[in-house]
Amino acid sequence: MTTTHCPYCALQCAMHLEPGPGGALAARPADFPTNRGGLCRKGWTSAEMLGVVDRLRRPLLRKDREDDFAEVDWDTALDYVADRLTDLRAAHGPEAVSVFGSGGLTNEKSYLLGKFARLALGTSQIDYNGRFCMSSAAAASTRAFGLDRGMPFPLTDLGEAEVVLLAGANPAETMPPMMAHLAAPRLIVVDPRCSATARQALAGGGMHLAPRPGTDLALALGLLHTARTANLLDTGYIAQRTTGFAQAWRAAAAWWPEQTEHVTGVPAHQVRAAAHMLGKAKGAYVLTGRGTEQHAKGTDSVSAWINLALGLGLPGRVGSGYGCITGQGNGQGGREHGQKADQLPGYRRIDDPAAREHIARVWGVEADTLPGPGRSAFELLDALGTEGGPSAMLLFGSNPVVSAPDAGRVRDRLADLDLLVVADFVLSESAAMADVVFPVAQWAEEGGTMTNLEGRVLRRRAAAAPPAGVRTDLEVLHGLATRLGQPAQRFPTDPDAVLAELRAASAGAPADYSGITPERLEAGEELHWPVTEGQAPTPRLFLDGFAHPDGRARFIPVQYRPAAETPDADYPLIATTGRLMGHYQSGAQTRRIPELAQAEPEAYLEIHPDTAARNGLTEGDWAQLTSRRGTTTARVRLRPDARRDTVFLPFHYAGAQTANNLTNPVLDPTSRMPEFKVSAIRVEPATTAQQGGHL
Ligand SMILES: Nc1nc2c(c(=O)[nH]1)N[C@H]1C(S)=C(S)[C@@H](COP(=O)(O)OP(=O)(O)OC[C@H]3O[C@@H](n4cnc5c(=O)[nH]c(N)nc54)[C@H](O)[C@@H]3O)O[C@H]1N2
Ligand SMILES: Nc1nc2c(c(=O)[nH]1)N[C@H]1C(S)=C(S)[C@@H](COP(=O)(O)OP(=O)(O)OC[C@H]3O[C@@H](n4cnc5c(=O)[nH]c(N)nc54)[C@H](O)[C@@H]3O)O[C@H]1N2
Ligand code: SF4
Ligand SMILES: [Mo]
């Protein structure tokens, strides 16, 4: 029996893996503070992915995109990719090649991928899918607190609180075992939909506030306004532990409850009741999820929530706080170790001369050879194959054909590349567009570390050897780097050797892992970063002061503005997107697991019965949705509790059911997060040819 953690989300539930009756590995829950012996349906079925029928076991290569793939041996595939990369670099310079990474990769892979881009390819053109995930919350936390660790406290603290406000998070579907920690507190759920989490809030004596998508910023300003006028603010805390309240207040001063109602649609009496519930609670937390973050003003929206938390005196104390619910398995660690366009390992900035010196020393190169900052994820995808943009991309751990905004445009850009190389376990929709596909090992076949949503570093353990013909991501990077002329020892294939280097690279940095050793991990120590050598870890940050030089948290004055698109005569409805319990992300993994695929076989559309009727639709019909970018199809589910102006779609489906055909790639100016949560659309019955069909 091997004890490890789930391959999917950032809760990183602990599980035991053991061969079942047929000899294949099966997962069952292990007791752990975050999951308390629970697993969701995806965790229970996760081991099936190891033996999925269309698992890739040999590298695939085609020299012409018109041709089918041929199975080739590893040397042929690696030589081919290295030669093509060398030629493209010689012809167009190092910026012609690009890398796209993932918050699903281990810390070791994230670190080595960034090093590979900067040293072996010498390119600045690397970013990753975390830009589409929690980047707005990360930016807002950094400017408020001086440091971003999604939850700067252990998850188990939540259970002690009286009230927890969840802004745009639906953990009842996205992290079901987390709900055990939210059973005692009363919940205030802010979600345009009456989600499973909102229903739980109502059942437990809490509240559901249903703002129009894209108006959270106004709602948070309205709650701050109400808290102040009701004398609920912690003025002593504001004076001693923060700066900037006066300016932030000026931005909130106009948001009395009736004005808030006018913009958000949340009744004024609910705004007042929620402010009182939160402000009077003995222990309270404000948590944000993607619903409030994935907007072109996501960073400012999160700042507005943090301002509310600061006004109430919550952050940096035991028993209360602000946190972002990070999503991907290694969404926290993946944002720290150098696969971001603007970053070097340890959360160092790539434009900081001291950071460059430190990393260059660890890597054994001169600092001036390190490239500068590159393009953010969507900007990178959108530049592919264009004049001045990269003509090659190496893709590790993401499926942007399904998950990127304005997916039709992204498909066109990928198609225009001279060289697309994908490492995956299966032929994902993005891998299917590639020139070369490397078949890689899965989570239960390799070691490494993951950092969960509370900043705790965990050990991923191998329970089986990879199938014959399959290599690890670290081996792929090693194979390419050495062919590109790098010394072999610079790209180790042993995860512990990479961790040793990552420890040195992160020493003294904001995300300091220098004290995180395999021995301490094996001993089960609770290693919340920063962890320096010989020092105790840091489960709760900011108790003695925030990470700004003056030790104070900063209120950020933020102004409300509408979403980039608002409904009009041609596109009269708002579409928002998100998740359902049984599928994960682009669905490349979960759509292949029979039990999950049968339970949720096709995209659906949650719509109010009146809105459906006005558009000629009823329960079970196939609907066609159209935005300024494209169209998608989904089966109608009538929801009498839905807002009449808003429909909801899960984004886990491919082909003609790709919700991202609709989405707006307008970007947040700070985080470069696209506006996944608001697109103006129209809806109509699908023609027979469109019904659930594939493009
Ligand atoms: N089952 C499942 N679980 C997952 C994942 C998965 O794909 N499937 N992915 C993991 C990852 S990477 C992530 S990032 C997390 C995401 O976890 P969540 O943040 O919980 O997921 P979402 O469903 O994207 O968004 C949450 C809610 O935001 C609401 N929403 C939409 N627009 C708005 C708005 O304008 N304002 C507000 N306040 N709410 C809005 C949606 O109705 C939805 O219920 O889940 C993780 N867990
Ligand atoms: N409309 C809309 N779009 C969204 C969102 C939304 O809410 N609405 N949410 C966004 C968010 S929060 C996220 S995080 C993204 C996620 O979307 P994606 O970045 O597409 O994430 P996954 O579907 O997890 O893609 C992972 C791919 O990598 C493979 N893979 C998994 N682990 C590994 C590994 O260790 N190594 C390698 N080489 N491959 C691996 C899987 O098989 C799969 O094909 O989607 C974003 N897109
Ligand atoms: S909640 Fe997340 S980590 Fe836990 S079993 Fe489900 S997918 Fe896995
Ligand atoms: Mo995510």
Side-chain angles (χ1 to χ4, degrees), residues 358-435:
H358 176 87
I359 297 299
R361 236 183 348 265
V362 174
W363 287 353
V365 298
E366 293 298 321
D368 58 11
T369 62
L370 297 178
R375 292 179 172 92
S376 76
F378 182 76
E379 289 162 295
L380 176 56
L381 292 171
D382 197 35
L384 299 177
T386 64
E387 188 75 38
S391 49
M393 175 167 266
L394 308 182
L395 183 58
F396 284 78
S398 181
N399 187 13
V401 161
V402 177
S403 59
D406 195 0
R409 181 154 142 198
V410 169
R411 282 193 291 274
D412 289 347
R413 300 272 49 81
L414 290 170
D416 280 350
L417 284 171
D418 289 334
L419 179 68
L420 176 62
V421 180
V422 178
D424 211 312
F425 337 123
V426 288
L427 200 66
S428 70
E429 288 73 19
S430 302
M433 293 186 68
D435 304 282

Side-chain angles (χ1 to χ4, degrees), residues 506-560:
S506 71
D512 191 329
Y513 280 42
S514 58
I516 294 179
T517 58
E519 296 72 32
R520 290 179 84 173
L521 289 162
E522 284 300 333
E525 260 195 81
E526 295 195 22
L527 298 171
H528 298 82
W529 67 255
V531 190
T532 47
E533 202 127 38
Q535 297 284 305
T538 322
R540 293 179 190 85
L541 287 169
F542 311 138
L543 296 184
D544 301 325
F546 295 97
H548 288 302
D550 61 3
R552 288 165 178 257
R554 294 183 186 160
F555 280 92
I556 307 292
V558 286
Q559 307 285 344
Y560 173 72

Side-chain angles (χ1 to χ4, degrees), residues 9 42 133 167-171 173-175 190-193 195 211-216 289-292 294-295 325-328 576-585 648 651-652 677-678:
C9 86
K42 300 186 298 301
C133 186
N170 183 18
E173 292 210 58
T174 53
M175 296 186 186
V190 180
D191 194 314
R193 288 193 302 151
S195 65
R212 183 174 299 119
T215 63
D216 289 46
R290 301 308 83 77
T292 209
Q294 290 173 324
H295 297 270
I325 308 176
T326 295
Q328 294 188 85
T576 191
T577 58
R579 294 157 167 83
L580 58 91
M581 163 136 39
H583 283 301
Y584 191 67
Q585 315 277 58
F648 170 85
F651 79 100
H652 310 295
K677 295 298 198 239
V678 185

Side-chain angles (χ1 to χ4, degrees), residues 56-74:
L56 301 174
R57 290 161 201 273
R58 300 252 294 162
L60 303 178
L61 172 71
R62 56 181 167 193
K63 294 192 174 159
D64 186 330
R65 291 261 175 87
E66 304 290 298
D67 295 344
D68 289 337
F69 284 115
E71 291 192 346
V72 296
D73 61 40
W74 274 92

